[in-house]
Amino acid sequence: MNYEELLKEIVLSDERFVVMTAENRSAIRNIPECLGERFIDVGIAEQSMIGIAAGLALRGRIPVVHALSAFLTMRAFEFIRTDIGIAGLPIKLVGAFPGFLSEANGPTHQAIEDIALMRGIPSMNVFCPSDEEDMLIGLETILKSPRPSYIRFNDLESSVKHDNVFHTGRAEILSEGEDITILTYGTLFREANRAMRLLEAEGKSVGLINLRTLKPIDEETIINAAMQTSLLVTVEDHFLAGGLFSILGEMFLRHNVTCRVLPFGLDERWFRPAMLQDILECEGLTGEKIADKILKESEKYAEYIKV
């Protein structure tokens, strides 16, 4: 089953659902013929789509809206904040091609600040699945939540067998380690998993946590990892400012936690457009390059302890 098939099943079982798009049908090509009047394509008009969705939600509908992440979260931001956020309407925002998944598109089409924008809206949940299997596991829970939600759409093929139990705000713990714990979400999960295996081959005890939702985020699991491991690593295809690295900073200050953190992400710049594998190579975010940098950092820390 893929995203379109599961979405169709969920939507047909509940007449309150309405599927909308701003001329972004790549993941929902066969939905219109099944839903009839419950499918609406507004054209390239993201702001209008959010306004229409808010009106429908006020009349008891649950709109599931689709658009490119960059234009959904940035062009329509004020509409999302005001029409959806302030009213707390249960609209589901599905952002296509977020982060590195926009691949060869230039900075105008890159959504690498989308999480920062969406998590800043009170009551908004943020779901960042690591691949299509992970997305399907959480989809029904997210769609039936009474809260507004942003879904960072991800239809990559899975590299692991995921835990089928999904709770909003609960991370998936793939492994636990004493030397290093890697925290990640979304597109870069596969590379983080590869890095973990390479580090284990070097004799390191490595944990890997797929966070699944960044808002609410699994604070208990993260703080436990911070207390039990020597080095925390964050891996994300997002600006460091406002993303997971920032979330950890806010959380640790709030809970008076101190630990060593090594961040991987984009620092004050957009990425060079290319195919996904070339982007990973260029940005130093392949599993091999991540593992190599972590190994150097952990060795540097070991020397510091000896001094």
Side-chain angles (χ1 to χ4, degrees):
M1 179 174 283
N2 61 24
Y3 171 80
E4 182 181 53
E5 291 165 343
L6 181 56
L7 176 65
K8 176 183 166 184
E9 186 176 297
I10 295 169
V11 168
L12 287 177
S13 70
D14 188 335
E15 291 189 350
R16 292 177 300 165
F17 282 107
V18 177
V19 175
M20 303 179 67
T21 184
E23 206 170 90
N24 176 231
R25 299 193 181 200
S26 59
I28 50 173
R29 293 186 189 284
N30 300 303
I31 290 286
E33 62 190 46
C34 303
L35 290 187
E37 292 182 348
R38 285 202 283 149
F39 177 83
I40 303 170
D41 187 341
V42 301
I44 305 174
E46 291 81 3
Q47 295 155 315
S48 296
M49 178 173 67
I50 297 303
I52 295 167
L56 289 168
L58 287 170
R59 287 156 181 78
R61 298 289 190 172
I62 305 174
V64 184
V65 308
H66 300 75
L68 295 180
S69 291
F71 305 125
L72 178 62
T73 61
M74 289 185 278
R75 180 176 294 160
F77 175 76
E78 192 269 337
F79 287 74
I80 294 172
R81 170 195 171 274
T82 301
D83 293 354
I84 299 176
I86 293 175
L89 298 175
I91 296 170
K92 315 306 172 189
L93 310 168
V94 184
F97 306 110
F100 289 164
L101 293 182
S102 68
E103 294 190 303
N105 290 309
T108 56
H109 287 58
Q110 294 176 5
I112 46 180
E113 58 275 85
D114 53 332
I115 292 170
L117 290 168
M118 292 299 101
R119 79 179 182 90
I121 298 173
S123 81
M124 179 71 72
N125 285 350
V126 178
F127 176 37
C128 302
S130 61
D131 49 50
E132 185 164 44
E133 180 187 321
D134 204 27
M135 180 167 64
L136 299 189
I137 289 171
L139 187 63
E140 184 167 4
T141 300
I142 296 295
L143 293 188
K144 292 186 176 179
S145 164
R147 300 169 67 96
S149 302
Y150 171 59
I151 301 172
R152 223 180 187 223
F153 185 87
N154 184 350
D155 62 354
L156 290 176
E157 186 178 347
S158 177
S159 58
V160 301
K161 181 64 179 173
H162 289 287
D163 183 351
N164 280 323
V165 178
F166 178 91
H167 296 288
T168 304
R170 185 80 56 83
E172 178 189 30
I173 302 173
L174 279 298
S175 67
E176 295 180 299
E178 296 180 356
D179 298 325
I180 300 154
T181 297
I182 303 174
L183 306 172
T184 191
Y185 61 87
T187 305
L188 291 180
F189 172 81
R190 179 193 302 265
E191 302 306 320
N193 186 40
R194 187 172 297 160
M196 178 192 71
R197 297 190 182 286
L198 291 168
L199 290 164
E200 285 178 336
E202 294 290 332
K204 298 293 184 183
S205 172
V206 187
L208 176 62
I209 296 174
N210 172 26
L211 290 163
R212 287 185 157 168
T213 61
L214 291 196
K215 185 184 175 187
I217 197 164
D218 191 342
E219 293 195 355
E220 181 180 356
T221 292
I222 294 174
I223 290 173
N224 284 341
M227 303 298 287
Q228 295 169 7
T229 198
S230 299
L231 176 66
L232 275 189
V233 178
T234 60
V235 179
E236 57 186 326
D237 56 340
H238 190 277
F239 285 139
L240 294 180
L244 176 58
F245 182 53
S246 289
I247 293 172
L248 259 61
E250 295 164 14
M251 185 192 312
F252 290 165
L253 278 172
R254 191 163 56 246
H255 293 283
N256 197 27
V257 172
T258 301
C259 71
R260 191 174 180 82
V261 180
L262 175 62
F264 288 84
L266 295 160
D267 193 11
E268 291 289 324
R269 62 182 178 78
W270 285 269
F271 61 86
R272 187 174 180 179
M275 300 309 290
L276 179 57
Q277 188 57 41
D278 294 329
I279 295 171
L280 297 176
E281 292 285 351
C282 181
E283 298 296 336
L285 289 168
T286 63
E288 290 76 9
K289 290 185 176 181
I290 292 171
D292 184 58
K293 189 170 180 180
I294 292 174
L295 203 55
K296 289 176 180 171
E297 183 71 13
S298 62
E299 287 170 354
K300 186 168 65 178
Y301 184 57
E303 290 174 6
Y304 172 77
I305 290 295
K306 287 176 186 175
V307 172

